[in-house]
mmCIF file of all heavy atoms in Angstrom:
data_model
loop_
_atom_site.group_PDB
_atom_site.id
_atom_site.type_symbol
_atom_site.label_atom_id
_atom_site.label_comp_id
_atom_site.label_asym_id
_atom_site.label_seq_id
_atom_site.Cartn_x
_atom_site.Cartn_y
_atom_site.Cartn_z
ATOM 1 N N ILE A 6 22.086 31.240 43.665
ATOM 2 C CA ILE A 6 21.522 32.570 43.409
ATOM 3 C C ILE A 6 22.072 33.586 44.415
ATOM 4 O O ILE A 6 22.429 33.266 45.539
ATOM 5 C CB ILE A 6 19.996 32.557 43.492
ATOM 6 C CG1 ILE A 6 19.480 31.950 44.799
ATOM 7 C CG2 ILE A 6 19.395 31.829 42.285
ATOM 8 C CD1 ILE A 6 17.997 32.003 45.018
ATOM 9 N N GLN A 9 20.355 41.041 46.525
ATOM 10 C CA GLN A 9 20.531 42.075 47.549
ATOM 11 C C GLN A 9 19.186 42.654 47.877
ATOM 12 O O GLN A 9 18.423 43.096 47.026
ATOM 13 C CB GLN A 9 21.480 43.187 47.025
ATOM 14 C CG GLN A 9 21.929 44.131 48.109
ATOM 15 C CD GLN A 9 22.953 43.502 49.030
ATOM 16 O OE1 GLN A 9 23.832 42.744 48.613
ATOM 17 N NE2 GLN A 9 22.858 43.818 50.342
ATOM 18 N N PHE A 13 20.330 43.335 53.569
ATOM 19 C CA PHE A 13 20.377 41.851 53.613
ATOM 20 C C PHE A 13 20.816 41.294 52.269
ATOM 21 O O PHE A 13 20.321 41.695 51.233
ATOM 22 C CB PHE A 13 19.032 41.270 54.001
ATOM 23 C CG PHE A 13 18.980 39.783 54.031
ATOM 24 C CD1 PHE A 13 19.450 39.105 55.164
ATOM 25 C CD2 PHE A 13 18.469 39.032 52.985
ATOM 26 C CE1 PHE A 13 19.412 37.722 55.217
ATOM 27 C CE2 PHE A 13 18.449 37.650 53.034
ATOM 28 C CZ PHE A 13 18.913 37.002 54.139
ATOM 29 N N VAL A 17 22.813 31.973 48.182
ATOM 30 C CA VAL A 17 22.491 30.575 48.439
ATOM 31 C C VAL A 17 23.010 29.690 47.291
ATOM 32 O O VAL A 17 22.779 29.971 46.115
ATOM 33 C CB VAL A 17 20.952 30.432 48.551
ATOM 34 C CG1 VAL A 17 20.551 28.951 48.633
ATOM 35 C CG2 VAL A 17 20.464 31.130 49.806
ATOM 36 N N THR A 39 14.323 32.363 49.282
ATOM 37 C CA THR A 39 14.866 31.320 48.407
ATOM 38 C C THR A 39 13.731 30.593 47.659
ATOM 39 O O THR A 39 13.813 30.370 46.437
ATOM 40 C CB THR A 39 15.673 30.307 49.219
ATOM 41 O OG1 THR A 39 16.748 30.960 49.872
ATOM 42 C CG2 THR A 39 16.245 29.199 48.324
ATOM 43 N N ARG A 75 6.883 27.542 35.076
ATOM 44 C CA ARG A 75 7.884 26.820 35.840
ATOM 45 C C ARG A 75 7.421 25.452 36.340
ATOM 46 O O ARG A 75 8.222 24.628 36.770
ATOM 47 C CB ARG A 75 8.371 27.673 37.040
ATOM 48 C CG ARG A 75 9.074 28.946 36.569
ATOM 49 C CD ARG A 75 9.914 29.566 37.683
ATOM 50 N NE ARG A 75 10.592 30.742 37.184
ATOM 51 C CZ ARG A 75 11.652 31.296 37.762
ATOM 52 N NH1 ARG A 75 12.126 30.795 38.911
ATOM 53 N NH2 ARG A 75 12.250 32.338 37.260
ATOM 54 N N ALA A 85 -3.627 30.896 50.721
ATOM 55 C CA ALA A 85 -3.993 31.765 49.558
ATOM 56 C C ALA A 85 -5.174 31.179 48.776
ATOM 57 O O ALA A 85 -5.158 31.224 47.546
ATOM 58 C CB ALA A 85 -2.783 31.925 48.659
ATOM 59 N N LEU A 86 -6.183 30.685 49.457
ATOM 60 C CA LEU A 86 -7.380 30.208 48.766
ATOM 61 C C LEU A 86 -8.214 31.407 48.340
ATOM 62 O O LEU A 86 -8.155 32.507 48.912
ATOM 63 C CB LEU A 86 -8.210 29.326 49.717
ATOM 64 C CG LEU A 86 -7.588 27.995 50.115
ATOM 65 C CD1 LEU A 86 -8.414 27.319 51.214
ATOM 66 C CD2 LEU A 86 -7.453 27.075 48.926
ATOM 67 N N MET A 197 10.223 15.123 58.151
ATOM 68 C CA MET A 197 9.623 15.162 56.820
ATOM 69 C C MET A 197 10.604 15.118 55.674
ATOM 70 O O MET A 197 10.184 14.952 54.516
ATOM 71 C CB MET A 197 8.774 16.414 56.683
ATOM 72 C CG MET A 197 7.579 16.461 57.636
ATOM 73 S SD MET A 197 6.346 17.679 57.148
ATOM 74 C CE MET A 197 5.694 16.940 55.633
ATOM 75 N N ILE A 203 20.815 24.081 55.653
ATOM 76 C CA ILE A 203 20.725 24.934 56.817
ATOM 77 C C ILE A 203 21.213 26.328 56.433
ATOM 78 O O ILE A 203 22.336 26.487 55.974
ATOM 79 C CB ILE A 203 21.536 24.388 58.001
ATOM 80 C CG1 ILE A 203 20.973 23.010 58.410
ATOM 81 C CG2 ILE A 203 21.460 25.337 59.185
ATOM 82 C CD1 ILE A 203 21.745 22.328 59.525
ATOM 83 N N GLY A 213 23.220 18.464 53.256
ATOM 84 C CA GLY A 213 23.483 17.018 53.159
ATOM 85 C C GLY A 213 22.274 16.217 53.609
ATOM 86 O O GLY A 213 21.152 16.749 53.652
ATOM 87 N N PHE A 219 22.045 16.321 61.452
ATOM 88 C CA PHE A 219 21.717 16.436 62.866
ATOM 89 C C PHE A 219 22.711 15.696 63.745
ATOM 90 O O PHE A 219 23.037 16.141 64.855
ATOM 91 C CB PHE A 219 20.312 15.904 63.109
ATOM 92 C CG PHE A 219 19.223 16.902 62.844
ATOM 93 C CD1 PHE A 219 18.872 17.292 61.564
ATOM 94 C CD2 PHE A 219 18.512 17.422 63.916
ATOM 95 C CE1 PHE A 219 17.886 18.218 61.340
ATOM 96 C CE2 PHE A 219 17.494 18.392 63.695
ATOM 97 C CZ PHE A 219 17.207 18.761 62.394
ATOM 98 N N ALA A 239 36.447 25.724 72.569
ATOM 99 C CA ALA A 239 37.382 24.615 72.835
ATOM 100 C C ALA A 239 38.753 24.919 72.276
ATOM 101 O O ALA A 239 38.904 25.517 71.204
ATOM 102 C CB ALA A 239 36.820 23.330 72.230
ATOM 103 N N SER A 297 8.387 18.864 81.597
ATOM 104 C CA SER A 297 7.345 18.761 80.603
ATOM 105 C C SER A 297 6.660 17.418 80.792
ATOM 106 O O SER A 297 7.100 16.628 81.613
ATOM 107 C CB SER A 297 7.951 18.856 79.191
ATOM 108 O OG SER A 297 8.869 17.819 78.942
ATOM 109 N N LEU A 342 33.283 21.247 66.344
ATOM 110 C CA LEU A 342 32.629 22.254 65.489
ATOM 111 C C LEU A 342 33.617 23.337 65.043
ATOM 112 O O LEU A 342 34.397 23.838 65.810
ATOM 113 C CB LEU A 342 31.493 22.951 66.272
ATOM 114 C CG LEU A 342 30.443 21.952 66.845
ATOM 115 C CD1 LEU A 342 29.523 22.733 67.808
ATOM 116 C CD2 LEU A 342 29.644 21.313 65.736
#
Side-chain angles (χ1 to χ4, degrees):
I6 53 175
Q9 192 73 39
F13 179 80
V17 172
T39 300
R75 295 197 178 199
L86 294 171
M197 296 197 69
I203 298 176
F219 275 72
S297 62
L342 306 170

